[in-house]
Amino acid sequence: MIPATIPVDPLTMRRTMGRFATGVAVVTTRSPDGTPHGMTVNSLTSVSLEPPLLLVCLTTGARSTHAVTAAGRFAVNILSSRQEHLALRFARRGEDHFAGLDVTHGRHRVPVIPDAFAHLECDVERHFTAGDHVVVVGHVGDVCERDGEPLGFLRGRFSDVLDRGHAPAPWIS
Ligand SMILES: Cc1cc2nc3c(=O)[nH]c(=O)nc-3n(C[C@H](O)[C@H](O)[C@H](O)COP(=O)(O)O)c2cc1C
């Protein structure tokens, strides 16, 4: 039997979009007064290769959202399968996310998680409000890739990402 369609509400929206498996990243920045900020995201999307653009959707109320738009720059730290604790740390509201955490610094002293699966340093290309989130488009400058496996997120839970070892897709050369 074909399942019936149902009208969407916020919980249904979250649950249904949760079937779109993603990685997990931490957006980090330093506000103009020098305070480091960071928040866990899974809304990361590649936008363009030339120029290199990505986007993240940041909730309008969060301290990190204001810090990113005020600073005009940020880093995206893609978490490894061993960094679930960092995903949880940077998702707790109202905490000092950096207390006792070892970070290095990228361009303009933006904090960077040193052993992330990868990180990308960005300047804010543009940002605009869409519903209850701010869409931030970043122009990517420097990147760093490290060994390991990515942390996944599916149906509201952290997950492993299975590499089946298939040949790369034909457009990846
Ligand atoms: C796996 C995961 C993914 C998340 N993705 C997003 C996201 O894409 N955008 C967002 O605004 N919040 C997202 N959140 C929630 C934020 O991490 C959380 O609200 C954050 O603590 C707010 O930061 P603040 O302390 O600066 O207010 C996510 C949380 C988790 C655990």
Side-chain angles (χ1 to χ4, degrees), residues 24 38-43 57-59 62-64 87 90-94 97 133 153 158:
V24 183
M39 78 189 278
T40 302
V41 301
N42 71 334
S43 55
C57 303
L58 307 180
T59 186
R63 296 168 301 170
S64 305
F90 283 96
R92 283 190 205 108
R93 301 204 82 158
H97 293 132
H133 279 61
F153 195 66
F158 297 111

Side-chain angles (χ1 to χ4, degrees), residues 168-173:
W171 56 89
I172 310 281
S173 55

Side-chain angles (χ1 to χ4, degrees), residues 12-78:
T12 310
M13 179 71 175
R14 173 179 284 176
R15 193 184 62 237
T16 307
M17 286 305 296
R19 290 175 172 239
F20 189 61
T22 65
V24 183
V26 175
V27 168
T28 48
T29 192
R30 186 175 295 281
S31 62
D33 69 2
T35 311
H37 289 274
M39 78 189 278
T40 302
V41 301
N42 71 334
S43 55
L44 172 63
T45 302
S46 174
V47 172
S48 163
L49 301 181
E50 287 184 354
L53 301 175
L54 56 74
L55 73 75
V56 286
C57 303
L58 307 180
T59 186
T60 45
R63 296 168 301 170
S64 305
T65 308
H66 299 297
V68 165
T69 55
R73 54 183 69 102
F74 63 98
V76 174
N77 303 266
I78 299 175

